Amino acid sequence: MKIPFSHITPLLSKFTFSIYLFFTVITSTCAAPETVFNVREYGAKGDGITLDSNAINNTITTAVKAGGGTVYFPAGTYLSYSIRLESHIALYLDQGAVILGATPSGELGYDMPESAINDTFQDFGHSHWHNSLIWGENLQDISILGPGLIHGKGLSRGGPYKAPVGNKAIALKSCRNVTLKDFTILYGGHFGILATGVDNLTVDNLKIDTNRDGIDIDCCKNVRISNCSVNSPWDDGICLKSSFALGYARPTENVTITNCSVSGFDRGTFYNGTYQRNEGHLVPDKEGPTGRIKFGTESNGGFKNITISNCVFEFCRGLALETVDGGLLEDVTITNITMRDIINSPIFLRLGGRMRAPDGTAVGALRRINISNITVFNTDSRFAVLISGIPNHEIEDVRLNNISIWYRALDSLKTNIQKEVPEFEKDYPEPQKFGVLPVYGFFIRHAKNIELSNINLYLLGKEVRPAIMLTGVRGIKLRNITVPENLKSELLVLKDVSDLSIKDSKPFKEVEIKKLTTKTY
């Protein structure tokens, strides 16, 4: 049977087009630029003995020349000094890959710290970035990804140094569109992560077990921190700051922190899963493990539009919101927090006048704070929930709701309890600086427009102090407050308080006070 030529022609056309398309795709694929750059193919040994810094940086340079891409670390241990990030580059650490910070030897070591724009109003660590294991400046579209490990074994936790010493695991300055995801940092030096002036930053699913600060977010905008676990017994876990390191005051703003845990177990024991608590006596400031989530202390630029939710604190210090260098700390919502075995104040709000800031800077403000749904078990009663402004500078518009706190007893009922609590206007802001407070539950001073509602206080031992003390407070509502009856002392102490309202609270009677008063109940 013969097939008419007119019927064959369309079939040949379709076949010819298919062959043309196939070879076009193959040719295009073969000609496509490389986008994954294996550090081993550029000289890295990954044997934990050979110094791989040059090979890693050469790989990054090659990727940049190709227009960007992923610098890939297969399983192995890559001994390194400073790794210099570039724009449009991702570092990917595969399972089993370790970037190991080398120990400096003579003149061989990390990049030297660059000249500081300003190092007058913050310490050395905040003022330099290049002296780090991984650093980048003025970059965009960068990532560090993958399930591998960054081990800062050769990093220092201090400074300054004249030698080529590194003191940060990751340092980023004036970057944008940054993603840090899935890796682990062990012993990160002065900072596991220092991000200064970084916008559009995502930090997700990190595990950090370090020997000073975990994550420091300084003068950054649009930051998302989620699903991270930070163990930092010797300093803060997740810390928001707004220093003068950029040479001008810039706020940290539009930040969310969610689904994270912070703790103060012995260094390295979170990572190895033993969760030990034996090194408290080694903590540098002698007050026990730090850990925690904190705003400050560097606070020139201030903080605004921040939410913290669904976080866990264990064996560390409590939540701290501090502005002491002239910045505004405002518009903050914190909810769904659980804490256990807290070693100082579970909630600390401090407006101070330390003023590490340019001459003429005014005292800042701390206002519009909402904290709710907090459960704290076995917290130190020496410092209570501590909310303190300074004379003529009040903390304003604070709402605390649905909070339950179990306080452990003083080590001794004969402990040296403060009768008058000093102001410490210009001191470093830390609860223990105030000494053992004359109350165990809430100490609120120099504040206005405060509301405490649905608050339950419990005692895990004997207590001789009142539950609540208000000093220099204008406008405060107590609603549905329950505190243990203490037959040995008053429950509520008022000093220079006006516009006080108490309702639906046990064992308090309903109280309405408009004029200034000093009284005990």
Side-chain angles (χ1 to χ4, degrees), residues 449-460:
N449 300 334
I450 310 298
E451 182 175 317
L452 308 184
S453 59
N454 304 309
I455 307 293
N456 296 284
L457 303 183
Y458 305 91
L459 291 171
L460 298 174

Side-chain angles (χ1 to χ4, degrees), residues 2 69 121 203 214 233 237 239 242 246 252 285 287 292 321 363 383-384 399 406 412 414 421 466 469 512:
K2 293 184 179 180
F121 306 121
V203 182
C239 192
S242 57
L246 296 173
T252 287
D285 66 8
E287 288 293 336
R292 78 177 165 191
L321 279 65
V363 172
F383 314 115
R399 305 288 179 267
W406 282 258
S412 170
K414 297 180 181 179
V421 181
M469 178 176 285
E512 294 285 344

Side-chain angles (χ1 to χ4, degrees), residues 452 468 476-481 492 500-503 505:
L452 308 184
I468 301 172
I476 179 166
K477 295 179 181 179
L478 306 183
R479 297 288 186 268
N480 194 23
I481 311 298
L492 173 64
L500 166 68
S501 175
I502 303 176
K503 292 183 179 180
S505 299

Side-chain angles (χ1 to χ4, degrees), residues 165-460:
V165 174
N167 71 355
K168 290 169 280 285
I170 299 172
L172 302 172
K173 176 189 176 188
S174 301
C175 299
R176 71 177 187 272
N177 305 335
V178 177
T179 301
L180 308 175
K181 192 174 190 300
D182 293 339
F183 57 87
T184 297
I185 296 176
L186 179 63
Y187 292 178
H190 191 161
F191 300 99
I193 298 170
L194 174 63
T196 308
V198 176
D199 293 352
N200 302 340
L201 169 63
T202 298
V203 182
D204 183 42
N205 194 35
L206 301 190
K207 291 180 285 293
I208 300 176
D209 191 342
T210 190
N211 46 350
R212 201 163 173 192
D213 274 16
I215 301 172
D216 270 37
I217 304 298
D218 190 5
C219 305
C220 297
K221 183 174 183 178
N222 297 335
V223 179
R224 307 290 170 256
I225 302 174
S226 59
N227 309 311
C228 293
S229 299
V230 183
N231 185 64
S232 53
W234 283 25
D235 220 317
D236 298 313
I238 300 173
C239 192
L240 306 185
K241 297 182 176 179
S242 57
S243 73
F244 212 79
L246 296 173
Y248 62 95
R250 187 179 198 253
T252 287
E253 59 184 321
N254 301 347
V255 178
T256 63
I257 302 172
T258 190
N259 300 342
C260 292
S261 69
V262 290
S263 58
F265 303 116
D266 295 354
R267 296 162 299 165
T269 68
F270 174 84
Y271 177 70
N272 68 24
T274 59
Y275 309 110
Q276 296 176 23
R277 303 183 179 193
N278 302 317
E279 293 185 351
H281 63 287
L282 297 177
V283 173
D285 66 8
K286 310 303 180 186
E287 288 293 336
T290 310
R292 78 177 165 191
I293 297 174
K294 185 177 87 168
F295 294 37
T297 55
E298 314 297 338
S299 49
N300 297 103
F303 313 90
K304 60 184 179 180
N305 295 346
I306 295 168
T307 70
I308 301 172
S309 62
N310 305 337
C311 291
V312 174
F313 293 55
E314 185 173 11
F315 190 55
C316 60
R317 302 183 191 186
L319 180 72
L321 279 65
E322 309 164 357
T323 180
V324 296
D325 300 315
L328 303 179
L329 197 167
E330 57 189 7
D331 302 321
V332 175
T333 296
I334 300 170
T335 189
N336 295 353
I337 308 294
T338 67
M339 305 184 191
R340 178 177 287 265
D341 301 338
I342 300 303
I343 65 97
N344 70 7
S345 180
I347 300 173
F348 178 52
L349 274 59
R350 176 59 167 166
L351 170 61
R354 182 181 63 169
M355 307 313 294
R356 288 210 306 190
D359 291 342
T361 301
V363 172
L366 198 164
R367 59 199 180 197
R368 299 193 297 275
I369 311 297
N370 289 281
I371 301 175
S372 64
N373 302 330
I374 311 294
T375 298
V376 184
F377 180 76
N378 192 33
T379 187
D380 196 324
S381 66
R382 291 177 297 167
F383 314 115
V385 170
L386 177 51
I387 300 173
S388 183
I390 56 177
N392 302 313
H393 297 281
E394 298 164 306
I395 293 174
E396 307 173 53
D397 303 322
V398 175
R399 305 288 179 267
L400 304 181
N401 177 51
N402 196 23
I403 296 174
S404 296
I405 305 175
W406 282 258
Y407 284 104
R408 60 180 174 268
L410 290 173
D411 294 334
S412 170
L413 297 181
K414 297 180 181 179
T415 300
N416 185 22
I417 299 171
Q418 297 271 45
K419 293 183 179 179
E420 296 294 332
V421 181
E423 295 287 352
F424 296 117
E425 292 184 43
K426 298 186 180 300
D427 284 41
Y428 185 91
E430 191 67 36
Q432 61 263 28
K433 302 293 184 184
F434 292 88
V436 179
L437 296 174
V439 291
Y440 70 85
F442 281 80
F443 179 87
I444 303 176
R445 179 170 65 179
H446 305 308
K448 68 179 181 180
N449 300 334
I450 310 298
E451 182 175 317
L452 308 184
S453 59
N454 304 309
I455 307 293
N456 296 284
L457 303 183
Y458 305 91
L459 291 171
L460 298 174

